[in-house]
Amino acid sequence: MKYITEFRSKEIVSRLADQIRYISKRPVRFMEVCGGHTMAIRKFGIPSLLPDNIDLLSGPGCPVCVSSNLFIDKAVAYSRLDDVIITTFGDLIRIPGSTSSLDNEKANGSDVRMVYSTLDALNVARKNPDKKVIFLGIGFETTAPTSAIAILKANAENLENFFLYSSHKVMPPAMEALIDEGVNLNGYIAPGHVSAITGSGIYKLIPDKFGLGCVISGFEPVDLLQSIYMLVRQYETNSPKVEIQYKRVVTPEGNVKAQAIMNEVFELRDDWWRGLGILRNSGFGLRKKYERFDAEKMLDVEVEVTVEPKGCICGEILKGVKKPSDCKLFGEPCSPANPVGACMVSNEGSCHAYYRYNE
Amino acid sequence: MCLSIPAKVIEINGEMARVAVGETIVNASLQMLDDVEIGDYVLLHTGFALQKISAVDAAETLALFEELEEINKKMDQEEQDKLA
Ligand code: SF4
């Protein structure tokens, strides 16, 4: 397939690996903060192509994993209301909350529907005027504009039964918080599809304030190795900066139209991240003028007391201070078929990726 | 969640398009983009075209690795010069 096959070329991959080996002199640790990168790095076995002095870590890039159990618990509580239809991307259905999951509620008769796009969620609302249709908005700057578009459409149509329950988050505060906390890092493999929307400016503080390199990477083996090469070069020449490897998709200014849509609908608010706690201005809430579509403001529901799974060290893993293999529950009893924590359920979770690609 | 794939635009009807992902044809909203034309490649994410894919930049990225070899050689040379 175009734009995929050529970026998997075995020949280029092995030559890039040689070049990295050639220029990399000192031990380094690079972190990726995008679930898509976590998956790709494991799937293509990127660590096995690198010299021993280069260590790759996974950070807080799995949106489902960094969100609180409270998010699932509240979605479960909404789903139990008679007049509510929950619409969501498939990723969330199997995530365990404190005592239940959406999957479980669906089996018990709740109306929980998987949608492919926020436009499908709007359709469900149009077709069911006597029900309240809640879309579970999760994800970073890549997915937030698609929720924003749904809100603008609902507003234009005066669709009174469509609601967004937002757990949308923004990436830079988490990247900065990790460095602040003293996680041992020498550079970031920055998220490609978040940056396609935001542009490269959002990472400016990482080299300027923290002195770390930052390369925005694509998702194919050639992309990832080239990004690692660029990070090693920055490190070895002591010239940290923001560079774009994923030039075919990411520009310095990003998708300005999508940014405007996001800005129109959302405002920044403090938000809680698993492993990092509450981070200032790290989440997206609906602006006051779109309040009537805000599930949290408009729909009251009682939520059970949140309990985090016992023994699960997802929080430490999301910070890159522990690896999935450090968890006593990894593999047995915790596996994709019988997940204990969110990091094992979501395709983008580190535990899932480690388990699936057998590290 | 941020998973996105390249897709080729084959039909445009207002703000919606039909796009090909390999052999599969799906709908995509063009609401986030201006000036999309039939034949363009876009990055498809949950039913939305997020960004156009630049053929020129893709070719440049693939060519870059040749350049890296050049840079390596140059660095080598500089190091040797320093030692000499
Ligand atoms: S292996 Fe399971 S229990 Fe352990 S950190 Fe990962 S998700 Fe949590």
Side-chain angles (χ1 to χ4, degrees), chain A residues 29-34 38 55-62 65-67 140 171 173-188 212 272-279 312-324 326 343 348-351 354:
Chain A
R29 290 156 67 88
F30 299 134
M31 176 180 270
E32 103 277 335
V33 285
C34 164
T38 308
D55 203 7
L56 297 184
L57 305 171
S58 299
C62 158
C65 309
V66 295
S67 294
F140 302 113
M171 205 70 239
M175 293 168 76
E176 289 160 23
L178 280 173
I179 314 175
D180 259 344
E181 279 210 13
V183 175
N184 179 8
L185 274 186
N186 305 104
Y188 274 117
L212 292 195
W272 185 92
W273 295 60
R274 180 166 285 121
L276 292 168
I278 292 176
L279 301 181
C312 172
I313 57 164
C314 271
E316 302 294 289
I317 293 170
L318 288 162
K319 276 202 291 200
V321 295
K322 293 223 166 113
K323 294 202 168 172
D326 296 328
C343 303
E348 298 173 300
S350 294
C351 296
Y354 270 70

Side-chain angles (χ1 to χ4, degrees), chain A residues 197-242:
Chain A
I197 299 291
T198 63
S200 56
I202 59 166
Y203 309 111
K204 202 173 166 307
L205 279 186
I206 303 215
D208 290 4
K209 179 172 166 202
F210 300 101
L212 292 195
C214 201
V215 174
I216 299 167
S217 178
F219 295 80
E220 300 301 332
V222 167
D223 294 320
L224 288 160
L225 286 171
Q226 209 168 67
S227 299
I228 292 165
Y229 178 94
M230 292 160 90
L231 280 169
V232 170
R233 192 171 56 189
Q234 286 188 19
Y235 185 70
E236 292 292 344
T237 58
N238 204 6
S239 51
K241 53 181 169 264
V242 179

Side-chain angles (χ1 to χ4, degrees), chain A residues 108-127:
Chain A
N108 289 333
S110 288
D111 199 342
V112 178
R113 304 187 192 182
M114 252 202 270
V115 289
Y116 167 64
S117 140
T118 56
L119 300 180
D120 297 340
L122 280 178
N123 264 335
V124 174
R126 289 185 195 111
K127 282 190 196 138

Side-chain angles (χ1 to χ4, degrees), chain A residues 19 22 153 229 255 348, chain B residues 1 15 45 50 69 72 76:
Chain A
Q19 289 167 2
Y22 188 84
K153 282 188 181 295
Y229 178 94
N255 183 334
E348 298 173 300
Chain B
M1 192 76 57
E15 61 176 48
H45 171 73
L50 283 192
E69 272 186 345
N72 287 350
D76 239 14

Side-chain angles (χ1 to χ4, degrees), chain A residues 1-4 6-7 12 15-16 19 22-23 25 34 39 63-64 89 91 116-119 138-140 142-143 145-146 149 153 193-194 196-197 222-223 226 229 233 245-249 254-255 257-258 261 348, chain B residues 1-6 15-16 21-23 26-27 29-34 41 43-66 68-69 71-73 75-76 79:
Chain A
M1 256 164 78
K2 191 151 167 66
Y3 297 119
I4 294 187
E6 61 267 49
F7 288 91
I12 305 184
R15 281 170 68 185
L16 270 169
Q19 289 167 2
Y22 188 84
I23 62 161
K25 314 267 191 263
C34 164
M39 272 199 290
V64 177
F89 295 142
D91 313 49
Y116 167 64
S117 140
T118 56
L119 300 180
I138 194 154
F140 302 113
T142 321
T143 37
T146 74
I149 287 173
K153 282 188 181 295
H193 294 143
V194 162
I197 299 291
V222 167
D223 294 320
Q226 209 168 67
Y229 178 94
R233 192 171 56 189
Q245 179 278 332
Y246 198 25
K247 285 213 165 109
R248 61 190 182 280
V249 167
N255 183 334
K257 199 172 173 191
I261 293 169
E348 298 173 300
Chain B
M1 192 76 57
C2 297
L3 195 68
S4 316
I5 33 174
E15 61 176 48
M16 292 302 289
V21 180
E23 307 282 286
V26 293
N27 291 327
S29 162
L30 299 179
Q31 206 139 4
M32 282 185 226
L33 297 176
D34 291 319
Y41 276 82
L43 198 65
L44 180 69
H45 171 73
T46 68
F48 289 83
L50 283 192
Q51 191 58 286
K52 279 204 264 189
I53 303 179
S54 154
V56 176
D57 287 315
E60 245 172 46
T61 303
L62 288 168
L64 189 68
F65 82 100
E66 308 262 0
L68 300 182
E69 272 186 345
I71 296 173
N72 287 350
K73 274 194 212 133
M75 280 169 64
D76 239 14
E79 233 166 75

Side-chain angles (χ1 to χ4, degrees), chain A residues 79-105:
Chain A
S79 80
R80 288 175 179 159
L81 302 177
D82 280 342
D83 57 347
V84 162
I85 301 176
I86 299 284
T87 53
T88 173
F89 295 142
D91 313 49
L92 279 179
I93 297 258
R94 290 186 55 235
I95 305 293
S98 297
T99 57
S100 183
S101 66
L102 290 166
D103 205 17
N104 195 28
E105 295 304 313

